[in-house]
Amino acid sequence: MRAVDSVLHALSLTGSMAWAILWALIFGFALSSVVQAVIRRDTITSLLGDDHPRTLAVATGLGAASSSCSYAAVALARSLFRKGANFTAAMAFEIASTNLVIELGVILALLMGWQFTAAEFIGGPVIIVTVAVIFRITLRQKVIQHAREQADRGLAGSMEGHAAMDMSVRSDAGFWRRLLSADGATAVSHVFVMEWAAIYRDLLIGLLIAGAVGAWVPDTFWQGLFLDGHPVLSAVWGPIIGPVVAILTFVCSVGNVPLAVVLWTGGMSFGGVIAFIFADLLILPILNIYRKYYGWAMMWRILGAFYVAMVVAGYVVELLFGLTGLTPDRSAAHLPDEGIQWNYTTWLNILALALAALLVWRFVRTGGVKMLTMMGGAPQ
């Protein structure tokens, strides 16, 4: 009976977390779908031709607006690179499209506090700038050329078909005319459903892992691993170990936020949790995709640059929030375990589910179901 109760407790935590963040995910992906419906993919490529600061800022903004699951973001970055985008700019787009998105910020605020949302939007640009500086110093033209040749081989990674789909409205009309047209509604519905199809597995795995870890792993384990009780050592160790934990958990995109709650309440430092959240682009399956896309030499450079940048971002956040006295209170974060109640979350979920149902209905009525079979697709 104890084993059964333990499993039921873990599943209860998983369900409660899913219910708590559902509306944020639906509204976040809906907003992202609107942006992607009116911005053409070839327009993005034409704006990412070099690694100048202004170009990287544009790449960051476009990436943040083009929310994607980690696998789709990685595949899209390769597609942009093959079509002529600068490699560093493509990486900036990739980082922003998974780590600087609205739904991630809202979920962080709901589960962990507004400070984590602020840290996301502070740490993300720090990572992009750090990666750009490292690439400027270490990347030689020979390595970039080899990576381009490897990319042009078109080896399949994951979510290739999804990344290759440009579902934006094909019209020269203004923003609102395109968005409010029948084609605009169709494009929004197609992007919305395809984004959910790309992310639901990672999200479910992340919720299940967080529920299991929250229910079964004692806090003393995390407190020992993260040196809780030693403030200085913990602050130094957290950003170093955070990305390593992320690499080994295999959970990417917003799916790693529930586990971040467990790590934070278990004793990981503030900067360490931020570094963990950002490391969704370094999980082992994605590192293997980098190897296929760009070759071993570039894969190791991506791993090194991203890891250093995430550690730096963790330290910047830890120092900045510590000096200003804004480091969040660990006791304020918790794994939702109250289930479904009649509160603002339930009403927001009802509205969100109604919107989702409308978009799914449009998706099905306009031939979108056939597109789901092309999610794997072929590299472009």
Side-chain angles (χ1 to χ4, degrees), residues 19-379:
W19 185 251
I21 65 177
L22 180 60
W23 67 268
L25 286 171
I26 291 175
F27 287 138
F29 278 121
L31 181 58
S32 172
S33 299
V34 168
V35 174
Q36 294 184 65
V38 296
I39 298 180
R40 297 175 184 171
R41 191 69 53 76
D42 53 1
T43 300
I44 296 176
T45 304
S46 67
L47 295 173
L48 307 185
D50 55 55
D51 62 351
H52 296 161
R54 182 175 180 179
T55 302
L56 295 180
V58 171
T60 300
L62 291 172
S66 303
S67 171
S68 297
C69 83
S70 300
Y71 291 104
V74 171
L76 177 53
R78 196 263 296 262
S79 177
L80 295 174
F81 178 54
R82 291 181 67 187
K83 293 177 181 178
N86 175 271
F87 183 79
T88 301
M91 292 298 102
F93 181 94
E94 173 185 307
I95 293 167
S97 67
T98 60
N99 288 317
L100 286 174
V101 294
I102 293 174
E103 58 269 24
L104 175 60
V106 174
I107 292 170
L108 286 171
L110 287 174
L111 296 184
M112 306 178 75
W114 66 265
Q115 294 95 330
F116 280 91
T117 303
E120 173 203 356
F121 290 106
I122 292 172
V126 170
I127 289 176
I128 291 171
V129 170
T130 305
V131 167
V133 171
I134 293 174
F135 281 168
R136 176 65 70 91
I137 296 172
T138 62
L139 282 189
R140 299 293 178 263
Q141 190 59 40
K142 180 178 179 181
V143 176
I144 296 174
Q145 182 58 35
H146 176 73
R148 191 176 296 279
E149 292 171 358
Q150 179 69 17
D152 286 339
R153 292 179 62 190
L155 298 182
S158 182
M159 294 296 168
E160 298 286 357
H162 178 52
M165 295 174 187
D166 186 354
M167 294 169 277
S168 59
V169 179
R170 296 296 174 179
S171 170
D172 294 326
F175 176 90
W176 289 108
R177 289 187 62 184
R178 278 182 287 164
L179 178 61
L180 298 177
S181 66
D183 288 341
T186 298
V188 170
S189 70
H190 284 200
V191 175
F192 177 82
V193 175
M194 298 301 283
E195 289 291 344
W196 270 98
I199 201 176
Y200 80 91
R201 284 184 294 269
D202 286 318
L203 181 61
L204 180 59
I205 291 171
L207 289 167
L208 288 171
I209 290 176
V213 170
W216 301 338
V217 179
D219 287 342
T220 52
F221 172 81
W222 299 118
Q223 290 165 358
L225 178 62
F226 302 139
L227 305 179
D228 189 36
H230 304 278
V232 176
L233 291 177
S234 178
V236 173
W237 176 239
I240 295 174
I241 191 65
V244 176
V245 175
I247 290 171
L248 298 177
T249 57
F250 285 66
V251 182
C252 62
S253 199
V254 295
N256 65 2
V257 175
L259 183 55
V261 180
V262 176
L263 300 179
W264 173 238
T265 56
M268 181 180 272
S269 69
F270 183 42
V273 175
I274 292 300
F276 166 82
I277 292 170
F278 282 136
D280 62 318
L281 292 171
L282 289 183
I283 63 174
L284 291 175
I286 287 182
L287 289 176
N288 187 49
I289 292 173
Y290 290 143
R291 178 190 63 80
K292 291 181 180 180
Y293 282 0
Y294 309 118
W296 282 101
M298 187 62 86
M299 185 275 283
W300 287 116
R301 285 166 173 78
I302 293 173
L303 172 60
F306 280 26
Y307 178 81
V308 170
M310 289 160 191
V311 172
V312 169
Y315 285 143
V316 168
V317 165
E318 187 78 47
L319 183 62
L320 180 61
F321 280 73
L323 290 175
T324 57
L326 294 176
T327 301
D329 182 359
R330 199 183 302 277
S331 63
H334 67 287
L335 288 174
D337 58 3
E338 61 272 14
I340 299 176
Q341 298 181 355
W342 282 109
N343 52 25
Y344 80 94
T345 298
T346 298
W347 288 111
L348 286 172
N349 279 340
I350 291 173
L351 291 174
L353 288 170
L355 174 62
L358 182 62
L359 290 172
V360 171
W361 174 81
R362 182 75 181 187
F363 176 83
V364 173
R365 287 290 302 273
T366 53
V369 175
K370 294 181 180 178
M371 296 174 63
L372 289 176
T373 62
M374 302 166 60
M375 285 288 284

